[in-house]
Amino acid sequence: MSEQWIEQVKWDEKGLVPAIAQDHKTGRILMVAWMNEEALRLTVEEGRGIYWSRSRNRLWRKGEESGHVQKLHEIRLDCDADVILLSVEQLGGIACHTGRESCFYRVLNEQHEWEAVDDVQRDPKQIYATKA
């Protein structure tokens, strides 16, 4: 199989590219993360959202702790070849570590304050409870 598809991605100086996860039915932006070449390859191979965690400095399979896996429907590359768009089905309906559907749950209101407008669907303490 040709490697041309992955060679066409413009990686930054750290070997990363931003990746936007979007709900495949509604079009809502769920989250933004980063991918390295391995994460992109594995996303294609496994059919699920896999990212590079800059804070953990390792691969991160979305849902590995929470169970909120992203089932891949389509991958797109933008016109400059420096942003990946993943069309996904968010299993469990929660993409954000705060327990909300989307990481983009705050809106700038008329008072120029960030206002949370989406409800927490599940308490993060329940999602990430340590297992004994």
Side-chain angles (χ1 to χ4, degrees):
M1 182 179 351
S2 171
E3 291 291 304
Q4 188 176 15
W5 70 276
I6 203 137
E7 292 168 2
Q8 292 175 352
V9 176
K10 291 183 183 170
W11 309 96
D12 72 8
E13 64 281 352
K14 295 179 182 175
L16 301 174
V17 65
I20 301 166
Q22 181 179 41
D23 184 280
H24 79 106
K25 288 185 181 175
T26 67
R28 182 162 189 201
I29 301 299
L30 301 173
M31 57 175 267
V32 176
W34 294 89
M35 292 181 139
N36 62 9
E37 187 175 317
E38 184 180 12
L40 181 55
R41 285 181 191 277
L42 288 171
T43 293
V44 171
E45 289 174 17
E46 296 183 21
R48 64 179 285 186
I50 301 172
Y51 305 97
W52 177 257
S53 172
R54 295 178 304 165
S55 61
R56 301 174 193 146
N57 201 34
R58 67 171 176 84
L59 285 176
W60 161 48
R61 285 171 168 78
K62 178 68 174 155
E64 66 189 14
E65 294 176 22
S66 67
H68 300 140
V69 173
Q70 292 176 340
K71 181 180 174 187
L72 183 65
H73 283 258
E74 180 180 68
I75 298 181
R76 291 183 181 231
L77 182 63
D78 82 321
C79 60
D80 293 324
D82 61 359
V83 177
I84 300 288
L85 177 64
L86 303 178
S87 178
V88 300
E89 176 184 354
Q90 182 65 59
L91 303 182
I94 297 172
C96 185
H97 74 280
T98 66
R100 293 175 173 88
E101 175 188 15
S102 170
C103 294
F104 295 91
Y105 63 88
R106 293 180 276 203
V107 173
L108 189 63
N109 64 25
E110 292 178 6
Q111 292 77 37
H112 293 128
E113 297 170 341
W114 293 110
E115 179 180 352
V117 295
D118 293 350
D119 293 333
V120 173
Q121 295 182 17
R122 189 164 171 220
D123 185 338
K125 291 177 188 165
Q126 294 175 339
I127 295 171
Y128 300 103
T130 56
K131 296 175 176 105

